[in-house]
Amino acid sequence: MNEKIHKFLNSGLLENYLIGATTAKETELVETYISKFPEVENAYNQLQHNLEIVSKYHAVEAPSSVLDKILHTIDNDTPVIQLQPELETKQKPWFKYYSIAASVVAILFACASFIFFSQNVELKKENQIVVEEIFDLRSDIEMNNKKLDNVMAQFKQLNNPETQKYIIKGNNRAKNLKTVAYINPKDKTSMIDVVSLPDLPQEQCYQIWAELNGKMVNLGILDETDRQLKSIPYTENALGLNITIEPKGGNTNASLENSVAEIELNSRE
């Protein structure tokens, strides 16, 4: 790999391009490198794969929708009194017509007042609901931002060249067992991806251990019903990882006679 390609891969442009954080000029540059250099294309494909591993375990439920309507449609069919004056208008005094008109105006005013009063009450209720929806929405946004920060941190850890990947497969007692451990001895971080675990009786569980100086250090219980890329305690100078079948709730000491998977770790620091 020549110095030009190496410098480009360390610039961070490829990661920013993957998450849509590049300018138009940077996007053009990245796409040129991807199409021109196989090394860059392979690195880009690996980045996509790592991002898929992280993101598939973080489902983000959509927040509840804000109200579709704040105001309901107001019925415009206001009742109107139709007047049928007699033909002999000359015989009726004009003040009666003014009285009738005043009555009509009064009725219309009463109807309008009632409508506006009802509308005001309804609007206050709608406003209160909108305020509650806004608070819920803010809470959802804060929660989603925290999840996104966690996803990006895991993505960076997976993409870190110091991170070592270990595929742990089950033995004859648990042939369908498969987990993947990601360990970074430089940053002293560990993550595990539970891919599949064979079913166990309700009174049993899977537990993962780190082998250290002839002792087994508890790293936690593995549960396929809670599948996600999650952090586990980092054990410095660990020689290997071991998965055993233990009583429900876990055990303080590893039952090595019930071991279903184990793997040696690199000693590289």
Side-chain angles (χ1 to χ4, degrees):
M1 181 184 299
N2 60 46
E3 183 178 353
K4 181 179 179 181
I5 297 177
H6 182 73
K7 182 178 180 181
F8 173 79
L9 292 177
N10 291 332
S11 67
L13 285 176
L14 202 57
E15 290 85 349
N16 290 339
Y17 172 77
L18 184 62
I19 63 175
T22 53
T23 63
K25 186 176 181 180
E26 290 173 339
T27 298
E28 182 179 358
L29 176 62
V30 171
E31 291 176 349
T32 299
Y33 269 74
I34 292 175
S35 62
K36 188 175 181 180
F37 301 105
E39 298 93 332
V40 177
E41 182 181 5
N42 291 336
Y44 174 67
N45 292 335
Q46 184 61 42
L47 283 175
Q48 285 186 311
H49 176 70
N50 289 343
L51 184 59
E52 289 175 0
I53 292 176
V54 175
S55 62
K56 72 178 181 179
Y57 298 108
H58 295 272
V60 176
E61 294 184 359
S64 56
S65 61
V66 183
L67 298 175
D68 294 335
K69 296 181 180 179
I70 297 179
L71 297 177
H72 292 294
T73 303
I74 301 176
D75 188 0
N76 293 322
D77 296 331
T78 304
V80 179
I81 298 176
Q82 301 292 334
L83 299 179
Q84 299 291 337
E86 297 182 3
L87 295 177
E88 298 87 17
T89 55
K90 293 182 180 181
Q91 298 177 1
K92 294 188 177 290
W94 284 103
F95 73 89
K96 291 186 177 180
Y97 290 101
Y98 288 120
S99 176
I100 294 173
S103 298
V104 172
V105 171
I107 293 173
L108 292 176
F109 178 77
C111 292
S113 298
F114 176 76
I115 291 174
F116 287 132
F117 174 77
S118 301
Q119 177 183 350
N120 187 49
V121 172
E122 187 66 24
L123 183 58
K124 287 182 179 179
K125 293 180 181 179
E126 296 285 355
N127 285 341
Q128 182 61 34
I129 294 176
V130 170
V131 170
E132 294 175 358
E133 290 282 350
I134 290 175
F135 277 111
D136 291 342
L137 192 58
R138 288 177 178 174
S139 177
D140 290 339
I141 291 175
E142 291 177 359
M143 185 182 300
N144 289 337
N145 285 339
K146 291 180 181 179
K147 289 182 179 180
L148 180 59
D149 291 340
N150 186 37
V151 169
M152 292 309 299
Q154 292 178 344
F155 174 65
K156 289 181 180 179
Q157 184 174 344
L158 285 181
N159 193 50
N160 191 320
E162 295 292 333
T163 299
Q164 304 168 17
K165 177 179 178 181
Y166 299 92
I167 299 177
I168 309 173
K169 295 183 178 180
N171 55 25
N172 290 333
R173 300 183 62 179
K175 294 181 179 180
N176 294 329
L177 184 149
K178 183 177 180 182
T179 62
V180 183
Y182 300 90
I183 301 177
N184 189 317
K186 183 177 181 180
D187 294 339
K188 301 187 184 305
T189 56
S190 299
M191 295 190 303
I192 192 164
D193 173 13
V194 177
V195 179
S196 62
L197 292 175
D199 293 334
L200 284 176
Q202 292 185 354
E203 66 275 10
Q204 293 180 330
C205 69
Y206 292 102
Q207 194 166 351
I208 185 169
W209 311 81
E211 182 182 352
L212 179 65
N213 298 328
K215 297 181 179 180
M216 304 303 290
V217 179
N218 177 26
L219 300 183
I221 295 174
L222 302 181
D223 189 354
E224 192 177 23
T225 61
D226 187 30
R227 291 185 59 210
Q228 60 179 338
L229 189 65
K230 63 179 182 179
S231 298
I232 58 174
Y234 174 78
T235 306
E236 192 168 6
N237 299 323
L239 300 178
L241 297 176
N242 200 313
I243 299 176
T244 61
I245 298 176
E246 304 293 346
K248 184 178 181 180
N251 208 344
T252 55
N253 297 311
S255 304
L256 295 180
E257 67 276 11
N258 294 329
S259 175
V260 293
E262 60 180 322
I263 191 172
E264 294 182 358
L265 301 180
N266 297 334
S267 60
R268 175 170 63 90
E269 293 290 335

